[in-house]
Amino acid sequence: MKYTTIIGLEIHLQISTRTKAFCSCENGFGKEPNTSVCPVCLGMPGSLPVLNRQYLYRAVKTALALNCEVARRMKFDRKNYFYPDLPKNYQISQYDMPLSQNGFLEIMTTGGIKKIGITRAHMEEDAGKLIHDEGGSSSFIDLNRAGTPLLEIVSEPDISSPDEAYTYLKTLKSVLEYLDVSDCNMEEGSLRCDANISLMPAGEKGLGTKVELKNMNSFKAIRQGLEYEQDRQAKILSSGGVIVQQTRLWNEKKKITELMRTKEEAHDYRYFPDPDLNDFIIERDTVLMLKKSLPEMPRAKMNRFVKEYNLSEYDACLLTSDRRMADFMEESVKLYPKPKVIANWLTGGVQAYLNEHNCRFSQIAINAGMFVDMIRLIDSKLISNNMAKDVLEEMISSGVPAKDIVKKKGFLQITDKTAIESIAADVLQSNPKVKEDYLSGKKNALGFLIGQIMKKSQGKADPVMAGQALKKLLEAGHEGV
Amino acid sequence: MNNFCKLSAHELADPTAENKIKAADIASSVISRYDEVDSRVSGFVNFDKGAVTDRAARLDNLDESCRQGFSLPNVPVVLKDNICVKGELTTCASKILQGFKPPYDATVVSRLKSAGVLLLGKSNMDEFAFGSSCETSCYGPTKNPYDLERIPGGSSGGAAALIASDQAILALGSDTGGSIRQPAALCGVVGLKPTYGRVSRYGLIAFGSSLDQIGPITKDVRDCAMLLSVIAGYDKLDSTSADVPVPDYTKSLMGAVKGMRIGLPKEYFIQGLDKGVKAKIDEAISVYKGLGADIRQISLPHTEYAVSCYYIIGCSEASSNMARFDGMQYGYRYQEANKKYALIDMCMRTRGEAFGLEAKRRIILGTYSLSSGYYDAYYLKACKVRALIKADFDKAFNECDMILTPTTPTTAFKIGEKIEDPLAMYLSDIFTIPSNLAGIPAISLPCGYDERGLPIGMQLMARHFEEEKLLRAAYSYEQNAGWKKVKPVL
Ligand SMILES: [Zn+2]
C-alpha cells in the first residue's frame, strides 16, 4: 500500500533585538544565569509588559518577506499554563488577532518550484530554561531567556516529504538571514521546529490522524525524525493499525521517536486578551516603510542572476541560498566581468571547501579582490586550472593571497615552449607504443601523453602547450618516415 | 504631644506656614496615635516604628534645596498592602506572599517619594483585594472606627479606617469594583477612583487588570485633589496608562456648580437601598439644587447586569494574575513535598495552604469562565455586556455632566454578617462596579450619618478624565453641606 505524507511545520524563531520583548533587559545568549532579568521578565507581582518597537518592526519585516498579510489591528493574548520556567505561569502570545496571516514561501523541489503556504506568523515571548542537575535531585532555573522575543511561523500542511521539509527549512533560513532579523542558531535555541505529520492512503482525500513531533535540534534531525515517523506510521497503517493522535519526542541518541503525551492530556490554555497590553494599530505607513527597507530576497536575486549572468537555475539557486555568497558573487563580477567563470569557481571549488569543512560562507577568510586575482593567474597562464584548485583551498584556509602561495610553493606554470617540447620529447621516447597508436590513427592516445607530461612536470606544464608540443613532434616524426 | 495626624495634608504641608513641622515630630505623633488606637482598629499591617523613625530622620536631614520641590513634605502616607515598595513587606494580606519584599517601587511610590512624603507602612485589605468587608485578610479583619463591631468596608478597608481614625493623613488604595469608594463611604472619608489609565498601575499587584485603578483616600476633598496631582500622569512602564496632561487639581476646586446638570439614574434608587442612606442622599441633592445645579432623572438600563458582568471579567483576569503565585520564586512555599511528584505537589500544596477561601473561590470561578466550552457563554458575553454598560454611560453623559448616586446601599454591616454569603457580600458594591467596567472616574464623599451614627457616602461619576469636575462638585458640596463632621470615639 502506498501512502501520501502530509507535513506542517511550526517554527519558533528568536528575533534578534537589543532588548527583550516586553522589558528593557538585554536580549542575548550566553550570559551568567539570571543576570539579564528584571521585575517584568521575572513576572514579579505588580510588574507590567511594554512592547518593544524594534521587535514589532522586525516581526513585520519577516512577515512581509514571507508574503503574509500584516494585520491592521492586532492584540496580545495570555496563554495560561503552569510550568516552572514560566514566571507568570502564562505566556504573552497571540491567538485570534495575530500579527500576520496567509503568506507563502517558494521552495525548489525536484519537481520544480513549489509554494508552501504560511498560515500565520505571530509574536510571543519565550520562557526560561530548566537545568537539571544530572544524578542529583535538584533542578535550576535560568530566566535569562524568559521574555525573549519570538516569532512563531506556522506552515500549511503543504509539505509532502521529509526532504521537502528540509528544503523548506533551508529556504526559510536563507530568507531570514537575508532579512538579518535572527541568527537562526539551532544549538542556541534561536530557531526551534515542531512538526505535524500524518499519512493517507495514496489517492484518498482529507487528512490522516496527525502526530506532533518535538525536540529536533538540527535540520538533519528534523529530516531523520520525519523519516522515522513516516516509516512508523506506514507500518502501523499497513498492518491494519490506527494512528493515535499524540505528541512524540525525537530521541537523538536512539534515532527513534518516543511518546510524550496523548491528545487526552492536552492543555486547555484558556486564551484571553492580555488586559495589560492594549490592542495595537499597525500604521500602514510603517508597513510601507518596512516594505521598502526589505532587501532583495533570495528568489528574486536568483531570477536576476539567471537573467543578468546567464547562469543555470541550479547554479543561481546555490549562489543565492547564502546571502554572503550572493553578495560575494556580485562584488567579484564587478571586478572581473565574467560571471560564468566566477560562478563556476564558487559553486565548484569554494562550495567543495565549505562542504568538506562543514562551514558557512561567512566563516571563510576570503575577499573578492583576492579571489579575482587568483582567476587572473589562470588567465595569464601562470597557473593551471588544476593548480588553481589547490591554490584556492590554501587561500581560503590561510587567507594568504594566491600570488604568494604560488611563489612559496613554486607552483608557477611552465609556459616556456622549449622546456615543454623537451619534456614532450622525453615522453615520446619512453612511450613508443603509444606513439605508434597515435600515428596509426588512435587520436585519443594524445590525452595519455599529455597526462604523462603533466606528471613529469608535477602538474606545472601548461596542458594546452603540452598538446601543441606533442602534435608538433609527432607530426614532424611522421613526415620524417 | 501634638497630634499632627488630626490635621489634613493641606494644613500640614501649607506652603505659607512659617515653621515647617519636622518629620521626626510627625513620626512620633503617628507612632503614639498607633499605640493609642490601632490595637482596636487593626488598620495597619507591617507597621515598623523603627523604619518610620528612620525615614523621618532622613527627610529632616535633607538640604533645604532638596525640599524646595516637595509638594507633600513630611505628610504621612499609608499604602494599601498591594502596592509595591522596594525592600518593604508587600503581601496583599495573603499568606502566599509571606515575607515578600519587592525589588522595585511602584510608580506611585516613586512619585510620592519625589513629593517628600513620610511613608508609614501598609494598610490592611481583603486578601488580594477580593472582598467588600476587609475580613478576608490573613492578618484578620480591620474594624470600623465608628463601631468596632462593624466592618470598615473593603477591600481598602484598612486605609479608610486609618484615615478615619487619624492614624494617617493620606492613603492610597486600589479600586477594582469599588474598593476605594465603598470603604471611604463606610468610614466617612473621601475616596476617589480615577479614570482607568489616569494613574499608573505599575507596581500594583493586580486583581483584575482591566478594572484596577490606584486612587486617594483622604480626610477631605482638597487633600484628595493634592494627592491625585502627585500620582496622576503617563507612565512608560504601563502600556495602559494614558498620555493625557495632568491639571493642577487643587486649582480647579474653586468654581461654581451653578447650571451643572446632575443626573440621577433611576436604576440606583430602587429596592435594597437603605432608608437612612436614601434620606441623606436626598438631602445632598437638595444642597446641589440650592447651589443652582440642574437635577434630572436619567437611566442606565444595563445596571442590573453589572455585578455578574464584573465578577466574570474580574475573576477571569484574577485567575490568570494569581497563577504566578506558585511557591517557585517568592513568598510562601510548602516544604515537605512528596518526592515522586515533588514539583506539582509543592505547587498544589503551596496554593492550597496559602490562598484564602475567597481567593480560591475567585480563581476557580475565573478558571471556569475562561475554559474552552464556557468562554463564549461567560467571558465573551460579559465583555459584550461591558460594552453595553459603557454605552449607557456615554448616552447618559449626553444628558448630564455628572451622575449622583449613593456609594453603597447600606451603612457598615457587622463583622461576620455576610462572610458566609458571598452573593449578598458581592451586592455591597452594586453602585460602584459600573464605573470600573466603564473606566470612568468616580468619587465618594461623606454626606452624613445614619441613626446609629454610621457614615453615609455619596458617589459622583463623570466622563473619562473629568476628575476636575468631580472634585469641584465634591468640594462645593463639602463647603456648603451644613452638617458637622463627627470624629469616631476611640
Ligand atoms: Zn526584563
Side-chain angles (χ1 to χ4, degrees):
Chain A
M1 183 113 191
K2 284 211 70 167
Y3 297 99
T4 318
T5 302
I6 299 157
I7 298 169
L9 296 179
E10 279 174 26
I11 313 292
H12 283 91
L13 181 74
Q14 249 181 40
I15 302 290
S16 32
T17 50
R18 201 175 57 75
T19 56
K20 290 187 184 182
F22 298 105
C23 66
S24 52
C25 290
E26 202 184 317
N27 176 27
F29 179 83
K31 291 214 184 62
E32 278 284 297
N34 300 307
T35 52
S36 193
V37 292
C38 72
V40 176
C41 55
L42 289 174
M44 284 294 201
S47 65
L48 295 169
V50 178
L51 178 63
N52 175 349
R53 208 144 278 272
Q54 190 182 32
Y55 169 33
L56 174 66
Y57 288 174
R58 295 199 157 189
V60 169
K61 270 174 88 165
T62 312
L64 289 170
L66 297 174
N67 306 294
C68 288
E69 297 160 10
V70 174
R72 274 176 178 279
R73 190 188 193 97
M74 66 163 189
K75 70 172 165 75
F76 287 97
D77 300 277
R78 289 187 184 177
K79 181 179 182 180
N80 295 280
Y81 63 99
F82 280 87
Y83 208 74
D85 66 2
L86 189 66
K88 303 184 289 289
N89 284 320
Y90 64 78
Q91 184 183 16
I92 303 176
S93 181
Q94 295 190 310
Y95 185 57
D96 56 348
M97 284 166 70
L99 172 75
S100 64
Q101 303 182 75
N102 301 327
F104 64 86
L105 181 66
E106 285 179 334
I107 62 167
M108 186 82 102
T109 69
T110 43
I113 290 169
K114 185 172 173 182
K115 245 186 202 185
I116 305 295
I118 307 280
T119 317
R120 58 190 275 156
H122 72 252
M123 303 165 78
E124 66 182 26
E125 59 173 351
D126 209 344
K129 211 166 61 183
L130 289 179
I131 300 150
H132 302 288
D133 176 16
E134 274 183 53
S137 58
S138 307
S139 292
F140 303 91
I141 309 176
D142 176 8
L143 292 174
N144 279 350
R145 206 178 66 185
T148 293
L150 298 181
L151 191 70
E152 184 172 337
I153 303 167
V154 184
S155 89
E156 292 283 297
D158 289 344
I159 299 164
S160 39
S161 70
D163 261 350
E164 257 182 46
Y166 184 80
T167 310
Y168 169 82
L169 287 166
K170 281 272 181 197
T171 314
L172 180 65
K173 190 177 169 197
S174 109
V175 167
L176 297 167
E177 279 166 355
Y178 268 64
L179 290 170
D180 203 18
V181 292
S182 171
D183 57 22
C184 298
N185 192 325
M186 283 193 96
E187 286 80 51
E188 292 175 5
S190 50
L191 192 154
R192 304 195 287 273
C193 177
D194 299 336
N196 286 308
I197 173 167
S198 65
L199 263 57
M200 282 291 292
E204 274 185 40
K205 281 195 177 150
L207 284 173
T209 306
K210 69 177 179 190
V211 166
E212 191 183 6
L213 213 52
K214 284 180 181 289
N215 206 30
M216 300 164 293
N217 293 324
S218 69
F219 284 9
K220 206 172 102 193
I222 290 164
R223 181 151 62 183
Q224 287 177 336
L226 287 168
E227 275 164 1
Y228 177 89
E229 193 54 24
Q230 184 175 251
D231 286 353
R232 189 187 72 88
Q233 292 189 25
K235 271 183 203 143
I236 294 175
L237 291 170
S238 301
S239 60
V242 177
I243 305 293
V244 183
Q245 186 170 338
Q246 52 185 219
T247 301
R248 298 178 72 84
L249 292 176
W250 171 245
N251 183 325
E252 183 67 45
K253 275 190 195 135
K254 296 189 196 158
K255 306 284 178 210
I256 58 167
T257 65
E258 293 167 331
L259 178 68
M260 181 188 168
R261 62 165 176 258
T262 58
K263 191 193 174 192
E264 285 67 36
E265 299 163 57
H267 285 290
D268 178 354
Y269 290 117
R270 303 191 310 280
Y271 280 101
F272 79 107
D274 190 332
D276 289 333
L277 289 157
N278 296 323
D279 286 10
F280 280 85
I281 306 289
I282 306 173
E283 299 294 342
R284 290 297 96 176
D285 286 353
T286 308
V287 176
L288 280 177
M289 182 262 288
L290 292 170
K291 202 167 200 164
K292 271 189 199 145
S293 77
L294 289 183
E296 184 182 29
M297 286 292 122
R299 177 143 299 272
K301 216 185 241 316
M302 183 196 104
N303 290 334
R304 189 164 58 80
F305 277 19
V306 168
K307 229 172 82 187
E308 270 179 29
Y309 299 155
N310 200 19
L311 301 178
S312 74
E313 260 196 3
Y314 180 84
D315 282 355
C317 187
L318 193 68
L319 286 171
T320 54
S321 66
D322 185 322
R323 185 182 183 171
R324 301 293 184 95
M325 178 139 50
D327 289 349
F328 189 89
M329 167 81 196
E330 295 192 90
E331 225 177 297
S332 304
V333 172
K334 268 183 212 147
L335 298 170
Y336 183 85
K338 289 185 186 166
K340 197 93 180 191
V341 176
I342 290 170
N344 282 343
W345 278 106
L346 283 174
T347 57
V350 174
Q351 190 60 47
Y353 181 91
L354 296 178
N355 292 346
E356 195 185 323
H357 294 85
N358 195 23
C359 61
R360 300 158 47 147
F361 196 85
S362 56
Q363 291 167 300
I364 59 175
I366 181 172
N367 65 51
M370 286 164 63
F371 178 69
V372 162
D373 281 349
M374 184 211 76
I375 299 177
R376 287 205 180 104
L377 287 179
I378 306 168
D379 285 353
S380 54
K381 297 195 185 292
L382 285 168
I383 52 172
S384 69
N385 263 312
N386 266 333
M387 288 152 91
K389 275 179 198 153
D390 293 339
V391 172
L392 178 69
E393 197 177 321
E394 173 89 24
M395 185 168 72
I396 292 176
S397 55
S398 68
V400 175
K403 235 180 281 171
D404 297 346
I405 295 170
V406 166
K407 209 177 280 169
K408 196 179 84 191
K409 296 210 159 179
F411 253 19
L412 275 187
Q413 184 163 245
I414 301 171
T415 51
D416 178 42
K417 210 171 170 185
T418 329
I420 292 178
E421 276 176 14
S422 134
I423 303 172
D426 281 357
V427 165
L428 285 175
Q429 202 159 20
S430 36
N431 293 285
K433 176 81 176 55
V434 189
K435 181 182 172 184
E436 237 145 80
D437 284 351
Y438 179 84
L439 292 175
S440 63
K442 289 187 183 160
K443 296 293 180 203
N444 57 358
L446 191 69
F448 174 80
L449 292 169
I450 294 176
Q452 291 304 302
I453 293 177
M454 298 308 289
K455 203 172 165 187
K456 234 180 139 89
S457 69
Q458 290 163 308
K460 292 181 198 171
D462 177 341
V464 180
M465 288 178 76
Q468 284 165 351
L470 280 169
K471 272 188 195 162
K472 190 180 157 194
L473 288 176
L474 286 164
E475 267 147 40
H478 189 59
E479 274 160 22
V481 171
Chain B
M1 169 164 293
N2 247 317
N3 194 350
F4 296 116
C5 290
K6 287 212 160 85
L7 302 175
S8 64
H10 56 87
E11 287 162 344
L12 190 65
D14 184 357
T16 62
E18 292 261 324
N19 290 313
K20 299 272 167 54
I21 303 158
K22 284 178 83 78
D25 295 334
I26 296 169
S28 41
S29 162
V30 170
I31 291 168
S32 69
R33 182 66 180 161
Y34 170 84
D35 288 337
E36 195 182 340
V37 299
D38 205 56
S39 58
R40 278 167 288 155
V41 177
S42 309
F44 273 112
V45 296
N46 315 326
F47 186 75
D48 181 341
K49 292 178 190 173
V52 173
T53 310
D54 287 351
R55 279 184 213 128
R58 240 173 289 140
L59 282 168
D60 284 335
N61 285 334
L62 288 174
D63 288 349
E64 196 47 43
S65 61
C66 283
R67 308 181 57 86
Q68 291 300 319
F70 288 165
S71 52
L72 295 169
N74 302 347
V75 178
V77 180
V78 68
L79 299 168
K80 189 174 178 177
D81 198 28
N82 57 358
I83 297 171
C84 291
V85 181
K86 186 174 179 177
E88 301 287 330
L89 273 178
T90 302
T91 67
C92 287
S94 178
K95 186 177 172 186
I96 209 156
L97 274 174
Q98 198 173 69
F100 176 61
K101 291 179 176 175
Y104 70 102
D105 274 334
T107 298
V108 290
V109 172
S110 334
R111 289 184 181 178
L112 284 173
K113 285 182 175 174
S114 318
V117 306
L118 173 63
L119 286 181
L120 297 184
K122 297 304 185 65
S123 60
N124 201 14
M125 59 185 281
D126 279 302
E127 183 182 6
F128 284 107
F130 299 149
S132 309
S133 63
C134 215
E135 290 169 288
T136 66
S137 162
C138 72
Y139 304 107
T142 291
K143 281 85 167 223
N144 192 314
Y146 285 88
D147 180 346
L148 295 172
E149 289 184 358
R150 291 177 187 268
I151 58 115
S155 61
S156 317
L162 289 173
I163 299 298
S165 60
D166 288 331
Q167 295 193 70
I169 293 181
L170 298 174
L172 285 185
S174 72
D175 191 313
T176 310
S179 294
I180 286 174
R181 290 158 289 157
Q182 189 253 21
L186 303 189
C187 292
V189 296
V190 175
L192 171 70
K193 180 202 90 76
T195 308
Y196 184 77
R198 178 75 291 186
V199 176
S200 169
R201 291 187 295 117
Y202 190 80
L204 170 68
I205 299 180
F207 158 4
S209 314
S210 76
L211 301 157
D212 295 344
Q213 189 63 184
I214 294 175
I217 297 176
T218 57
K219 299 182 177 190
D220 60 27
V221 177
R222 177 172 289 275
D223 276 9
C224 185
M226 282 173 81
L227 184 49
L228 182 63
S229 296
V230 169
I231 61 168
Y234 176 67
D235 177 16
K236 64 177 173 26
L237 296 178
D238 176 359
S239 313
T240 63
S241 95
D243 197 356
V244 175
V246 181
D248 182 342
Y249 292 107
T250 49
K251 286 206 175 110
S252 53
L253 291 176
M254 294 305 180
V257 293
K258 195 167 189 309
M260 194 183 262
R261 298 170 301 163
I262 298 179
L264 307 174
K266 63 172 198 263
E267 292 80 4
Y268 285 61
F269 289 88
I270 43 170
Q271 51 174 338
L273 179 56
D274 182 271
K275 278 203 187 73
V277 173
K278 171 81 166 58
K280 294 294 164 191
I281 296 295
D282 285 343
E283 281 174 29
I285 294 168
S286 339
V287 171
Y288 278 116
K289 257 186 204 154
L291 291 168
D294 170 3
I295 309 288
R296 47 180 71 192
Q297 282 278 322
I298 56 157
S299 171
L300 296 165
H302 295 94
T303 302
E304 62 171 308
Y305 307 110
V307 172
S308 35
C309 171
Y310 167 82
Y311 275 95
I312 288 168
I313 291 173
C315 294
S316 295
E317 291 179 3
S319 72
S320 171
N321 287 333
M322 293 296 113
R324 73 190 68 200
F325 305 108
D326 57 3
M328 199 68 67
Q329 283 193 75
Y330 40 74
Y332 176 83
R333 177 187 282 187
Y334 177 79
Q335 293 293 352
E336 294 135 51
N338 176 323
K339 277 260 156 39
K340 194 171 172 202
Y341 304 106
L343 178 65
I344 189 151
D345 197 46
M346 183 280 282
C347 177
M348 280 164 52
R349 283 180 191 264
T350 294
R351 289 168 69 82
E353 288 182 8
F355 276 130
L357 194 62
E358 188 58 27
K360 286 177 188 163
R361 180 152 41 224
R362 297 199 189 195
I363 290 168
I364 291 168
L365 187 63
T367 304
Y368 181 80
S369 58
L370 285 178
S371 57
S372 69
Y374 299 99
Y375 182 89
D376 288 5
Y378 294 101
Y379 180 78
L380 200 63
K381 182 150 285 164
C383 290
K384 288 177 183 166
V385 172
R386 184 178 191 175
L388 294 175
I389 289 168
K390 276 184 191 165
D392 276 1
F393 279 109
D394 288 343
K395 215 174 139 222
F397 286 125
N398 288 329
E399 295 164 39
C400 60
D401 303 306
M402 214 165 50
I403 295 171
L404 187 157
T405 75
T407 308
T408 56
T410 65
T411 50
F413 47 87
K414 290 222 161 121
I415 291 171
E417 195 180 322
K418 296 187 182 176
I419 197 75
E420 301 298 331
D421 186 357
L423 289 179
M425 182 82 90
Y426 294 170
L427 291 174
S428 332
D429 297 336
I430 189 163
F431 297 148
T432 48
I433 282 170
S435 58
N436 295 80
L437 290 168
I440 58 172
I443 192 169
S444 174
L445 65 157
C447 65
Y449 304 88
D450 71 1
E451 68 280 6
R452 291 196 198 87
L454 296 170
I456 294 168
M458 157 176 72
Q459 177 177 236
L460 298 170
M461 298 181 268
R463 289 184 198 91
H464 292 96
F465 299 104
E466 288 193 340
E467 282 84 357
E468 280 178 285
K469 191 183 279 177
L470 287 183
L471 289 163
R472 185 164 74 233
Y475 188 70
S476 184
Y477 170 81
E478 195 181 65
Q479 301 300 304
N480 294 285
W483 52 269
K484 201 172 154 13
K485 183 146 181 144
V486 184
K487 290 263 182 184
V489 185
L490 280 163

